Amino acid sequence: MINIKFLLKRMKDANYQGFIDSAKRVSKVNKRPWVINLADCLFCTAKYGSGYIDYETFEMFNMNAKDRANILTISKNNSIFKMLNDMAYIKYFEDKAIFNEKFDKYLNREWLYFGENDFEKFAEFISDKDKIIAKPLDECCGRGIDIYHMKDYEPKALFDLLIANKAYLIEEVVEQDDVMNSMSPSSVNTIRIITIRNGEKVTLVAGCVRVSRSGNVVDNFNAGGLSGILDINTGKIVTDGYDKFRETFVTHPDTGTKFVGFEIPMWDEVVALVTEAAKVVPEVRYIGWDVAISKKYGPLLIEGNSYPGQDVTQYPKLNLGTYSVMMNAIE
């Protein structure tokens, strides 16, 4: 059914040049006149709640109606977010310091939230560490996160730098499991798992592995990282790797590790971890968890996201749209 209300809102707020530019880029791929692609993109916006980024990224121009309907588009993702998550409680996921406090038992690493008057606490925290990772509280997509080596800074100089950068949360750097390290050693590579909770029942509805490129300290998809879709029943990657622009990689371009068949270590423990964590804030039922595999502690939480993005866990070339799975999980 055409969603007239959504279409009218999108027309009011639309980036028309973005639609046109996207249609022209698609024309270089499918060789159709760009005006045809533009018309088809607008049709998908009206019928499936997609934007031009969805249309291009997920290659909806190559899909039949059934596959298009199964894509978790931006509109559908927004609807699930609003349906399942109480806005009064998403603070536990939007603010990294509040998240760390609430989910401390699942972190298995030291961390400190500090302010301008907390230099002594800061100095004590870093005194026995070779390096730390610093995070702004309310940024996403890996923005502002960096690793600092203690040998490169005097404590007060580093403290002043982090205060200036508003990076008030510092953490012990996770030493990741050797298997995960073999994919890419430049950052901690995380497993993104999306859960939907109904009472005491928690369903894993989608998952992927996110790995960094050489030189990057974060693995985030929007910061140049690569992803591979997981079979959430087995913990194995079932697609080639791909980046934000859907360029695909059979093996990791920096390490040569093959994507398809790569198996996440301690998968049963990963599932148990996110299943338990999903019950901590019952008012937030739709969450994207980022899990690392620590060499010392096994699976641990990096963070939780009350608004999981719709792009990283879908790979429509292999008919892995997630909308039907998510709707089936909602009770």
Side-chain angles (χ1 to χ4, degrees):
M1 175 181 292
I2 301 291
N3 187 335
I4 299 297
K5 183 178 180 181
F6 177 74
L7 179 60
L8 291 174
K9 184 179 186 305
R10 288 308 301 266
M11 289 175 66
K12 178 183 177 183
D13 302 331
N15 175 0
Y16 290 104
Q17 192 60 49
F19 275 89
I20 293 171
D21 291 345
S22 177
K24 290 180 177 179
R25 287 193 297 269
V26 170
S27 291
K28 295 179 181 179
V29 177
N30 65 6
K31 309 305 179 184
R32 294 190 307 192
W34 71 266
V35 291
I36 301 298
N37 288 326
L38 178 60
D40 188 43
C41 181
L42 292 172
F43 169 78
C44 288
T45 297
K47 187 170 181 62
Y48 305 109
S50 58
Y52 67 85
I53 295 176
D54 289 336
Y55 183 78
E56 184 175 358
T57 299
F58 298 138
E59 299 186 7
M60 295 179 75
F61 51 86
N62 282 333
M63 290 183 175
N64 58 34
K66 180 181 178 181
D67 289 339
R68 285 178 168 184
N70 196 35
I71 294 299
L72 180 69
T73 61
I74 185 171
S75 175
K76 292 175 179 177
N77 198 35
N78 288 342
S79 295
I80 294 174
F81 168 73
K82 292 176 182 178
M83 180 193 316
L84 300 183
N85 293 346
D86 187 330
M87 296 302 101
Y89 292 87
I90 63 171
K91 63 182 181 182
Y92 292 110
F93 300 91
E94 290 189 332
D95 186 303
K96 291 180 175 63
I98 296 176
F99 176 85
N100 276 20
E101 183 176 7
K102 189 71 172 178
F103 291 90
D104 183 67
K105 67 175 288 188
Y106 305 105
L107 301 184
N108 278 322
R109 61 188 180 279
E110 294 182 42
W111 60 276
L112 174 70
Y113 170 54
F114 64 96
E116 295 182 3
N117 299 318
D118 293 327
F119 173 68
E120 290 185 4
K121 290 182 181 179
F122 176 87
E124 181 180 358
F125 181 87
I126 67 173
S127 62
D128 61 348
K129 296 174 178 59
D130 295 326
K131 57 186 175 180
I132 59 170
I133 189 165
K135 302 177 178 180
L137 297 184
D138 55 0
E139 289 284 5
C140 62
C141 302
R143 289 189 294 267
I145 295 176
D146 213 341
I147 289 177
Y148 296 87
H149 296 265
M150 298 305 97
K151 64 181 178 60
D152 297 330
Y153 297 90
E154 291 295 331
K156 187 61 166 65
L158 180 57
F159 176 81
D160 291 341
L161 175 63
L162 296 182
I163 289 292
N165 292 340
K166 298 182 179 180
Y168 304 127
L169 179 66
I170 56 176
E171 297 179 354
E172 172 188 2
V173 176
V174 174
E175 183 181 4
Q176 71 180 340
D177 173 86
D178 290 340
V179 174
M180 297 300 293
N181 209 53
S182 70
M183 183 62 82
S184 177
S186 68
S187 81
V188 174
N189 305 305
T190 57
I191 304 110
R192 165 63 63 89
I193 300 175
I194 299 177
T195 59
I196 290 178
R197 186 189 57 77
N198 295 287
E200 291 301 303
K201 179 183 177 182
V202 175
T203 303
L204 279 63
V205 292
C208 68
V209 177
R210 307 186 306 176
V211 297
S212 62
R213 291 298 308 270
S214 179
N216 286 354
V217 300
V218 295
D219 61 357
N220 196 279
F221 200 49
N222 293 296
L226 308 178
S227 292
I229 295 292
L230 281 173
D231 178 342
I232 55 176
N233 295 308
T234 65
K236 294 182 180 180
I237 297 179
V238 293
T239 69
D240 290 337
Y242 55 93
D243 62 17
K244 184 176 177 63
F245 305 101
R246 260 42 186 189
E247 181 180 356
T248 57
F249 304 84
V250 175
T251 61
H252 192 289
D254 302 319
T255 63
T257 302
K258 187 177 180 180
F259 281 92
V260 174
F262 183 92
E263 186 170 0
I264 302 302
M266 306 179 70
W267 180 247
D268 289 344
E269 289 88 343
V270 171
V271 173
L273 173 65
V274 297
T275 299
E276 184 176 339
K279 300 175 183 178
V280 172
V281 183
E283 295 83 3
V284 182
R285 300 169 52 197
Y286 177 47
I287 304 170
W289 303 100
D290 292 337
V291 177
I293 311 296
S294 163
K295 179 180 288 190
K296 184 176 181 179
Y297 298 107
L300 53 80
L301 289 185
I302 297 296
E303 64 180 28
N305 302 270
S306 60
Y307 185 85
Q310 75 270 17
D311 55 352
V312 69
T313 55
Q314 296 185 106
Y315 193 65
K317 284 183 179 179
L318 297 182
N319 300 317
L320 288 175
T322 60
Y323 183 62
S324 61
V325 175
M326 291 187 176
M327 295 309 294
N328 289 336
I330 297 172
E331 297 177 0

